[in-house]
Amino acid sequence: MRIFVLLLVCLIEIAYLQTVRAERVPNQLTRAEEISGWQSLFDGKTADSFRNYRKQTLNPGWQVIDGALTRAAARAGDIITKEQYRYFELSIEFKIAKGGNSGIMFHVEEGPGFAWFTGPEVQVLCNEAGKDEQKAGWLNQLYSPRKEAGRPVAATRPAGQWNHIYLRVSPLGCEVCMNGVRYYTFSLGDKSWEKRVAESKFAKQAKFGKAGQGHICLQDHGDQVAGRNIKIRKLAEDGTLPRAPVDGTLEIQGVPAFPDLQWEGYHPVDQDGNVAKQLRIRELTTARDVPGRLFAAAQSGVIYSFENQPDVQQARVLLDLSGRVRRWWDNGGNNEQGLLGVAMHPQFSKNGQFFVSYNHIDDNRTVISRFQISSSDPLKADPDSEQIVLEVPQPFTNHNGGAIEFGPDGHLYIALGDGGLRNDTQENGENLGTLLGSILRIDVDHPVKGKNYGIPADNPFVSVTGAQPEIFAFGLRNTWRIAFDRATGLLWCGDVGQELWEEIDVIEKGRNYGWSSREGSKPFSNRSGHPDFPHT
């Protein structure tokens, strides 16, 4: 197996403001959206992309009010986009009046009858005071969210607040998300679709859902409703993006860093032709005071070391924890557990200490342990030297985080996810009473009574009633990787997103990064967030 040094050029929109933190300006595309193919259907000033259904003009009942396209007066009528769309992604924020009813239709054809005769409709409703048995985000009479605790998932915010709907129509599959929560997926024209249509009121409409392309329609159902940040991205005929979100190229080429490197004890295929599980190197690090040697951690539980030379041929086993570590291939569809982090002590050359983060083979719990290099062999660790520093129960087999790093201050930083499943079902992300969903900061050199570590006195929540004093920052979903910038000392974090957004965060002491009331710059579900420590 080879390790390749790759330069992954990504376009990342990072809002890192030292003194001013603000939301994006509504109805404007970001640079990232522009170069990745998104188009604005509404600029907050005019409704030039729309006209009324079966008309060439826009009725005065639709008005632009406070930067929102608003159904404000009677007889406004359904409006449609002037352009037709086949495969696309649609992003729209809506605000509905109390008791209100509206909808968003797609693949609408103009002909005799109403727009809903041809176009499937994503419901826009006031769930609390509405008269419809269906709820906002449901595909009218066809699809509803999956159930949790016996009831369909509900992520809509109350009437008078902004909600976000994401709709994808693609030959690869269609999807609807409400406030970042996936409600359902479907495939136009498959057996399930045809069966549901046949059992609905739309069975009488011969052209319902058959067009294959058409207009986007905003429905007038007699109630006030407003829309903003209305954006669409066309997809190619095969459902892929029409172009990559890249605005430049670099004259850089990836090359094998260690082309001859072999891993001690690992054989991709044995003598009988059986293919081994992937090695899955999850960490490649070095000791600050031993720059000539690299350490690599395989998710299966083995830590290797080798010389930091391009012609190196052998990676030797430093420590084999495979008998103590949860095997990632035993978790069904989840493959996020195992040996997830290793960090060498800042004084490694003097004390021979290093730390690991892994899921225990018995019960999934996260274990942070200290190990010691063998006194007889500097290239081997003593497997019996394990000192458990910290243990954290894990409710599920995903979103365990697991990265660990020593900071410039000499303290150990530990990244923990929200504990798993979907939608942060236990609401751990912004709960300061649990270690989950946080980045911890502990002192491994000065333990206090009853613990194998100490709490830095300047940790931000040491004096907060009910808070875990180890927490350095919180509101995180699944902090898969963290790293300190050697030049600036900034702590960077890759927080794995759910359906729509991925985050790269600069972690600051005491900050709330919003999960699970927010994801990125967007509200998530209908949660209100931490009352005392608002999101960053």
Side-chain angles (χ1 to χ4, degrees):
M1 179 180 178
R2 296 177 176 179
I3 292 181
F4 290 89
V5 175
L6 299 177
L7 177 64
L8 180 60
V9 181
C10 301
L11 182 70
I12 303 165
E13 182 182 352
I14 301 172
Y16 176 54
L17 307 178
Q18 294 284 4
T19 57
V20 179
R21 300 178 185 273
E23 292 298 320
R24 296 186 307 189
V25 178
N27 303 308
Q28 292 186 13
L29 296 177
T30 65
R31 175 62 178 155
E33 289 171 331
E34 287 178 346
I35 67 172
S36 59
W38 285 93
Q39 298 173 300
S40 176
L41 294 178
F42 176 61
D43 63 4
K45 301 175 183 178
T46 65
D48 292 344
S49 296
F50 294 89
R51 60 179 174 84
N52 270 87
Y53 178 69
R54 297 174 61 186
K55 290 186 177 182
Q56 297 304 311
T57 58
L58 193 69
N59 288 345
W62 287 93
Q63 302 172 19
V64 177
I65 302 175
D66 295 330
L69 181 56
T70 306
R71 188 276 180 198
R75 297 184 179 180
D78 296 347
I79 61 173
I80 59 174
T81 55
K82 293 179 180 178
E83 189 173 346
Q84 297 188 43
Y85 302 93
R86 181 172 175 81
Y87 300 130
F88 61 88
E89 295 170 287
L90 177 71
S91 176
I92 180 172
E93 294 177 12
F94 75 87
K95 182 167 61 175
I96 190 83
K98 185 175 182 180
N101 188 334
S102 184
I104 303 165
M105 293 174 245
F106 63 93
H107 286 182
V108 169
E109 288 188 302
E110 290 184 286
F114 299 103
W116 62 263
F117 281 15
T118 57
E121 176 194 352
V122 178
Q123 297 275 41
V124 172
L125 297 167
C126 167
N127 287 353
E128 294 78 15
K131 299 177 182 179
D132 200 313
E133 293 183 0
Q134 301 179 92
K135 302 298 180 184
W138 296 21
L139 197 64
N140 192 5
Q141 294 200 13
L142 300 177
Y143 288 86
S144 60
R146 71 186 185 285
K147 292 184 178 181
E148 289 183 0
R151 295 185 299 178
V153 172
T156 309
R157 295 173 182 250
Q161 295 186 25
W162 289 105
N163 287 275
H164 175 254
I165 284 180
Y166 167 83
L167 165 66
R168 184 183 72 245
V169 176
S170 163
L172 301 176
C174 306
E175 178 182 6
V176 170
C177 295
M178 172 66 75
N179 291 325
V181 177
R182 177 187 286 173
Y183 264 18
Y184 47 84
T185 59
F186 60 96
S187 295
L188 289 170
D190 70 0
K191 291 182 179 180
S192 175
W193 172 271
E194 295 295 346
K195 181 177 183 295
R196 292 166 189 254
V197 171
E199 295 171 350
S200 73
K201 70 177 183 180
F202 306 113
K204 298 179 181 179
Q205 308 302 327
K207 293 186 176 181
F208 178 81
K210 302 288 188 182
Q213 69 174 22
H215 303 276
I216 306 295
C217 176
L218 306 183
Q219 185 186 50
D220 173 15
H221 207 282
D223 301 305
Q224 182 167 317
V225 63
R228 69 178 186 183
N229 289 326
I230 309 172
K231 307 168 186 179
I232 197 162
R233 175 162 63 175
K234 297 178 184 178
L235 301 177
E237 284 297 306
D238 61 358
T240 60
L241 294 180
R243 64 175 184 267
V246 175
D247 63 353
T249 58
L250 297 175
E251 297 299 325
I252 295 177
Q253 180 181 2
V255 297
F258 309 106
D260 301 319
L261 188 63
Q262 301 293 318
W263 304 87
E264 181 184 358
Y266 179 75
H267 304 285
V269 181
D270 66 20
Q271 60 184 3
D272 296 323
N274 299 312
V275 178
K277 296 296 182 182
Q278 295 177 356
L279 193 59
R280 300 192 84 175
I281 298 297
R282 283 292 172 260
E283 185 78 65
L284 182 65
T285 188
T286 187
R288 297 179 189 176
D289 51 356
V290 189
R293 180 158 291 274
L294 294 175
F295 301 89
Q299 194 172 347
S300 59
V302 182
I303 301 173
Y304 300 88
S305 74
F306 56 93
E307 293 181 3
N308 188 9
Q309 297 292 336
D311 60 350
V312 63
Q313 296 185 2
Q314 183 74 13
R316 292 187 56 185
V317 173
L318 178 77
L319 179 65
D320 187 349
L321 295 174
S322 57
R324 311 179 199 186
V325 170
R326 179 80 171 180
R327 300 190 303 184
W328 58 266
W329 57 86
D330 285 342
N331 291 337
N334 295 325
N335 58 4
E336 300 177 14
Q337 293 192 314
L339 176 60
L340 301 179
V342 60
M344 320 313 285
H345 192 282
Q347 302 295 321
F348 177 75
S349 65
K350 298 178 180 178
N351 61 26
Q353 295 179 9
F354 64 95
F355 294 76
V356 299
S357 169
Y358 66 89
N359 295 106
H360 198 276
I361 193 170
D362 290 338
D363 58 6
N364 300 319
R365 69 185 183 273
T366 291
V367 180
I368 309 297
S369 288
R370 182 197 318 253
F371 281 89
Q372 188 77 39
I373 292 296
S374 170
S375 59
S376 60
D377 186 347
L379 298 181
K380 290 286 186 181
D382 180 358
D384 297 324
S385 66
E386 181 175 17
Q387 179 192 56
I388 295 177
V389 176
L390 176 67
E391 293 182 300
V392 182
Q394 292 287 354
F396 301 102
T397 59
N398 62 336
H399 298 191
N400 297 165
I404 57 175
E405 295 285 346
F406 278 96
D409 55 8
H411 296 318
L412 184 64
Y413 291 73
I414 303 166
L416 293 173
D418 64 15
L421 212 57
R422 297 175 60 83
N423 305 326
D424 191 13
T425 56
Q426 297 188 348
E427 299 190 31
N428 291 322
E430 293 176 271
N431 179 6
L432 286 170
T434 177
L435 297 179
L436 298 174
S438 303
I439 290 179
L440 315 182
R441 177 178 181 245
I442 62 174
D443 184 345
V444 297
D445 294 323
H446 302 93
V448 297
K449 186 177 181 180
K451 298 180 183 293
N452 286 328
Y453 61 91
I455 306 292
D458 62 341
N459 268 12
F461 303 107
V462 167
S463 301
V464 176
T465 302
Q468 298 292 330
E470 294 90 345
I471 294 175
F472 182 77
F474 70 111
L476 297 161
R477 182 177 182 270
N478 188 19
T479 46
W480 187 238
R481 294 292 96 184
I482 59 174
F484 283 93
D485 187 311
R486 296 178 184 176
T488 65
L490 290 176
L491 175 56
W492 291 82
C493 164
D495 195 11
V496 180
Q498 183 150 303
E499 308 297 344
L500 303 180
W501 315 106
E502 303 290 339
E503 287 186 20
I504 294 181
D505 299 316
V506 174
I507 300 298
E508 296 178 330
K509 183 170 70 173
R511 295 289 186 183
N512 173 8
Y513 287 81
W515 179 258
S516 56
S517 64
R518 298 185 72 85
E519 189 173 24
S521 63
K522 299 290 186 179
F524 181 85
S525 190
N526 48 19
R527 294 172 183 165
S528 57
H530 198 286
D532 300 319
F533 300 95
H535 72 276
T536 295

